[in-house]
Amino acid sequence: MPEGIEVEYYRQGAEASISRVIESLVVDDLYYLKGETTPNKLRKALIGNKVLQARRIGKLLLLDIDGEDTVGLRFGMTGRIIVDNKAAIEYLEFSSDRNDPKWDRFIVNFDDGGSMRIRDPRRLGGVELNPDVSQLGHDLFSITIEELSQVLSGSSRPIKARLMDQSMVAGLGNLLTDEILWRASIDPRRPADSLDEKTTRSLYKHFKKTIEELATLGGSHMGTLQDHRISGGFCPKHGIPLERYKIGGRTTYSCPEHQKR
Ligand SMILES: [Zn+2]
């Protein structure tokens, strides 16, 4: 599914829409409109106006429109952004290989003949006008060590659940979180507030490095642990079987040898 890294690629792709005049919208899928959003409100906010800026907080893409409105785009499990028929990412873990226009849930047509569309087979994403962003935590690209430390010390829940809580850290999903904890040698079930200062520093270092590295390599699925996230998978460091269990409903893999509880 798209995690913060993928949505950052989408944001970069959406920059191609900046300063172009919006001529029309296709918003036939009412289920895809979230909150108070209606086709009429969207048309009023967008048509005849331009996208000024493409921002991102965690997994939420925000398009600021001249006229003071903001369009929020969420991508769920399988959503992608396609600008002028070019996808910001061709490959998406867990999404369909097929590329069917009938999965277009929201289309913005520009007056120059181009378009920006959200293609989402499973339809778990959404479009929301002026979404409330006050509940989102620190963005995964910009979080500081002080902020991470505060997030961890505030709860004795399993550290993985705490890191994936979007109101604490915005943008981490299942793959990134398992990869970071595996690299930092921390058991995902360990209470968040049990880390000492040294371990927190080490976690922060691995956190930043993982995001930076996977963003360069091409996405959340490019981690070292990824190919071993299968039943019977082995720790790439130790060659011993990984443990597999659920935290907060999400399938989790960790190494019983080097990830400390
Ligand atoms: Zn190991």
Side-chain angles (χ1 to χ4, degrees), residues 36-208:
E36 308 282 296
T37 312
T38 64
N40 271 343
K41 284 184 188 170
L42 276 174
R43 288 200 175 92
K44 205 166 159 225
L46 271 68
I47 290 176
N49 289 328
K50 297 172 184 170
V51 176
L52 297 180
Q53 193 183 189
R55 294 181 290 130
R56 182 193 53 76
I57 307 173
K59 303 178 196 173
L60 176 66
L61 178 58
L62 296 161
L63 304 176
D64 295 328
I65 311 297
D66 59 353
E68 295 187 354
D69 287 300
T70 296
V71 179
L73 303 174
R74 294 187 181 85
F75 300 93
M77 292 289 286
T78 57
R80 295 191 300 159
I81 196 161
I82 296 171
V83 184
D84 301 327
N85 297 318
K86 282 199 291 283
I89 304 182
E90 287 297 343
Y91 169 86
L92 189 61
E93 192 80 355
F94 305 128
S95 191
S96 172
D97 291 340
R98 284 170 55 213
N99 208 1
D100 193 333
K102 79 167 192 278
W103 292 323
D104 289 345
R105 310 297 178 190
F106 176 64
I107 305 175
V108 175
N109 291 309
F110 301 109
D111 72 349
D112 57 19
S115 68
M116 176 167 59
R117 53 191 71 213
I118 308 298
R119 189 164 290 174
D120 185 356
R122 288 189 58 186
R123 214 170 162 226
L124 294 168
V127 176
E128 186 174 3
L129 200 56
N130 302 314
D132 177 14
V133 298
S134 64
Q135 298 306 309
L136 288 173
H138 309 290
D139 182 68
L140 80 168
F141 280 89
S142 58
I143 189 169
T144 66
I145 186 161
E146 290 78 16
E147 288 163 346
L148 179 65
S149 185
Q150 243 171 31
V151 163
L152 296 179
S153 63
S155 173
S156 58
R157 291 172 70 200
I159 187 166
K160 177 172 176 181
R162 189 71 171 167
L163 290 173
M164 284 184 65
D165 180 342
Q166 300 298 303
S167 71
M168 292 293 135
V169 182
L172 287 184
N174 203 30
L175 300 183
L176 284 176
T177 311
D178 273 10
E179 178 75 19
I180 291 167
L181 293 172
W182 178 80
R183 291 185 182 200
S185 303
I186 296 168
D187 190 296
R189 294 161 290 197
R190 187 166 165 179
D193 60 3
S194 72
L195 273 62
D196 61 16
E197 211 189 305
K198 189 176 159 225
T199 315
T200 304
R201 269 203 308 274
S202 164
L203 171 61
Y204 185 71
K205 192 187 77 190
H206 286 289
F207 185 137
K208 299 298 277 188

Side-chain angles (χ1 to χ4, degrees), residues 240-256:
I240 62 167
L242 292 169
E243 287 185 281
R244 181 172 186 261
Y245 47 93
K246 291 206 174 192
I247 292 181
R250 306 303 302 274
T251 301
T252 301
Y253 291 86
S254 66
C255 172

Side-chain angles (χ1 to χ4, degrees), residues 182 235 237-238 255 257-258:
W182 178 80
C235 174
K237 275 186 200 172
H238 293 99
C255 172
E257 174 70 24
H258 84 275

